Amino acid sequence: MTIKRTISAMSGDGVVAHNRRTYIAENVDPTRTHLNIEYCYTPIEEAYHNLFDEALAEFNAKQKRKDRYVDNYYEKICKGKQEKPFYEVIFQIGNKDDMAAASENGELAKIVLDKFYHSFVERNPQLHVYSAHLHMDEATPHIHIDFIPFTTGSKRGLSTRVSLKQALADQGITGEGRSLTERDLWVQKEKETLAEIMLEHGIEWEQKGEHREHLSVLEFKREKRKEELAELEQTIERVQQQQVSIKSVEQIEAKPLPLTSKVAVEREDYQTLVTAAQKYVVQEKQEGKLKKLLKDAKKTISDLKAKIESLVAELTATKDELAQYKSVRGQLRTADLEQENDRLRKRIRTYEDVISRNNLWHLFGKGYGTAHKRDNARY
């Protein structure tokens, strides 16, 4: 018989003194601190020396200008804005009510998290773990993993340098802009691995608010595509609704001026006419392009909706099959889902290309086109 529990994966502050219990916080039970596990700890400055000193020496040897010389790589990263010097992720199973640290379930959580940590190190060779601690002296068992993401063979800056994006890419994980980052996908995969280990010990992953089994990475991508499409569709509808008010123009009365062929209108009416004329000119110029854009957009959305419905039906059909296997990913049709995901991505890019070719991003609100260009530049 299995039990169902949630999985939490949170970003931590990386307060090593707290993780190592150099001081005891109010939420800590000191009588249980001896049950904690310290997997590893190296001062972060020392970890940086071990990881980057060789690459730093090679970099400095090539510099002909003093201002490009780097004395301390750790300090350079801390002062810079491009990369964080380290990351902390905290994994927890259940909560204080169903997996309390002092309970039998709490001991089960400790076994699962211990196995998860050791597989984490093997699974993430580009994430150098310099501090890791499993806590059993707080309400619910959880594990803090502090790591430095690094990439090797870089042609820019140090040959071995800090980079979360590239470190995850080296591990085969690439994002798709701000809507679906490398970290999003990585966390999802780590949750899936933790769920597999949980299942081996009789614990199913429960996702609050979901009516089906947890999302795999491919399903997660598909859900993101649906969100993006919904947002684009709403934006198109808002643009479509921006029409000139003909009725307000028709109600304006022109008054003839004595001894002249000219007429006069109220200042407020005049402003209405000016605004209407400006909008009319803009709309005339854009009407043809917008109609074609809307037609293409609606067709794309319709096609994608049909494919999404087909995918949902397929995923529902595999639910019973998944329950027969210990692996929570079972026999998902990975290749088919990846192919469908590629088709969805290409549809969205085609949609965006239509907007870009017609220079219509400004119609979708301030910053939308700029953000789109930034995202594309990061691919």
Side-chain angles (χ1 to χ4, degrees):
M1 181 176 178
T2 61
I3 59 177
K4 290 187 177 183
R5 295 293 184 265
T6 57
I7 293 177
S8 300
M10 303 157 283
S11 295
D13 296 326
V15 183
V16 175
H18 167 72
N19 295 348
R20 302 192 73 208
R21 296 301 187 248
T22 302
Y23 67 90
I24 303 298
E26 292 182 1
N27 64 326
V28 172
D29 179 358
T31 66
R32 293 181 56 81
T33 298
H34 67 282
L35 299 173
N36 293 347
I37 300 176
E38 179 174 278
Y39 294 105
C40 66
Y41 169 68
T42 303
I44 190 168
E45 293 88 346
E46 183 179 336
Y48 261 73
H49 284 305
N50 295 336
L51 275 174
F52 305 112
D53 270 6
E54 183 177 344
L56 180 61
E58 292 176 356
F59 174 82
N60 285 335
K62 297 177 182 178
Q63 304 312 311
K64 297 181 180 180
R65 292 168 41 186
K66 282 189 175 182
D67 61 333
R68 287 183 56 82
Y69 193 89
V70 179
D71 290 317
N72 188 305
Y73 187 56
Y74 174 66
E75 291 182 0
K76 174 180 172 62
I77 295 298
C78 289
K79 292 177 182 178
K81 297 181 180 180
Q82 292 185 336
E83 298 288 349
K84 291 179 63 175
F86 72 94
Y87 294 80
E88 179 179 86
V89 63
I90 306 169
F91 290 96
Q92 177 177 303
I93 302 169
N95 55 53
K96 62 182 179 62
D97 297 321
D98 55 30
M99 297 296 278
S103 68
E104 185 177 341
N105 281 343
E107 287 299 318
L108 180 58
K110 180 179 181 179
I111 293 171
V112 172
L113 289 172
D114 179 76
K115 187 173 182 179
F116 172 75
Y117 169 72
H118 289 98
S119 69
F120 179 96
V121 175
E122 296 176 1
R123 193 170 49 256
N124 294 284
Q126 301 302 125
L127 308 182
H128 177 73
V129 179
Y130 69 93
S131 176
H133 299 80
L134 192 156
H135 289 159
M136 295 296 293
D137 56 0
E138 296 181 45
T140 311
H142 58 274
I143 187 169
H144 295 253
I145 302 176
D146 298 86
F147 61 87
I148 303 167
F150 69 96
T151 183
T152 58
S154 177
K155 295 182 179 179
R156 179 172 60 86
L158 275 65
S159 59
T160 300
R161 61 182 178 86
V162 175
S163 173
L164 178 63
K165 182 183 179 72
Q166 192 56 50
L168 294 179
D170 292 345
Q171 295 183 182
I173 302 173
T174 55
E176 299 171 16
R178 289 183 299 177
S179 62
L180 187 61
T181 67
E182 293 78 11
R183 189 182 183 283
D184 290 335
L185 292 173
W186 173 71
V187 168
Q188 182 68 13
K189 290 189 71 173
E190 289 301 313
K191 283 184 175 182
E192 289 183 359
T193 300
L194 179 53
E196 291 178 5
I197 300 173
M198 287 164 55
L199 197 61
E200 292 173 2
H201 292 81
I203 309 173
E204 289 185 32
W205 180 9
E206 177 186 12
Q207 275 199 305
K208 298 292 185 181
E210 290 287 341
H211 300 292
R212 60 181 185 273
E213 298 299 324
H214 75 281
L215 296 176
S216 71
V217 171
L218 292 175
E219 292 174 274
F220 183 63
K221 286 185 177 182
R222 182 177 58 80
E223 293 298 324
K224 285 289 187 179
R225 297 286 78 73
K226 286 173 64 178
E227 292 174 7
E228 291 176 2
L229 282 173
E231 183 180 348
L232 284 172
E233 187 174 15
Q234 291 173 2
T235 303
I236 292 294
E237 288 177 357
R238 285 196 298 270
V239 173
Q240 193 175 22
Q241 291 169 359
Q242 293 176 355
Q243 303 295 331
V244 176
S245 178
I246 302 300
K247 186 176 181 180
S248 62
V249 174
E250 291 176 343
Q251 292 176 347
I252 296 175
E253 294 184 5
K255 301 176 182 178
L257 293 175
L259 306 176
T260 177
S261 59
K262 297 181 180 180
V263 296
V265 295
E266 297 293 335
R267 181 177 295 276
E268 184 178 347
D269 290 339
Y270 172 76
Q271 189 57 50
T272 299
L273 282 170
V274 171
T275 301
Q278 290 173 340
K279 287 184 177 181
Y280 178 77
V281 171
V282 172
Q283 287 174 359
E284 280 291 297
K285 290 181 178 179
Q286 296 176 345
E287 184 177 1
K289 294 180 180 180
L290 188 55
K291 282 183 178 180
K292 185 179 185 303
L293 171 64
L294 290 173
K295 182 179 178 180
D296 292 343
K298 287 179 179 179
K299 185 179 185 305
T300 300
I301 291 170
S302 177
D303 291 344
L304 287 172
K305 280 184 175 179
K307 289 186 178 180
I308 287 169
E309 289 175 1
S310 175
L311 277 174
V312 170
E314 182 181 344
L315 290 172
T316 301
T318 61
K319 182 177 178 181
D320 293 336
E321 183 182 354
L322 285 171
Q324 300 175 16
Y325 297 88
K326 287 185 177 181
S327 170
V328 292
R329 284 180 291 187
Q331 293 186 350
L332 275 176
R333 297 177 62 191
T334 305
D336 291 344
L337 285 173
E338 187 64 63
Q339 187 176 19
E340 290 297 336
N341 185 64
D342 288 341
R343 290 197 189 107
L344 292 174
R345 189 186 304 111
K346 289 176 181 177
R347 287 288 187 180
I348 290 173
R349 288 177 178 170
T350 299
Y351 193 175
E352 292 175 338
D353 286 344
V354 171
I355 298 173
S356 297
R357 286 197 304 270
N358 293 287
N359 297 318
L360 296 177
W361 280 114
H362 63 282
L363 299 177
F364 303 146
K366 286 187 175 180
Y368 195 98
T370 304
H372 166 74
K373 291 177 181 177
R374 283 201 305 270
D375 287 345
N376 283 344
R378 289 199 293 268
Y379 288 161

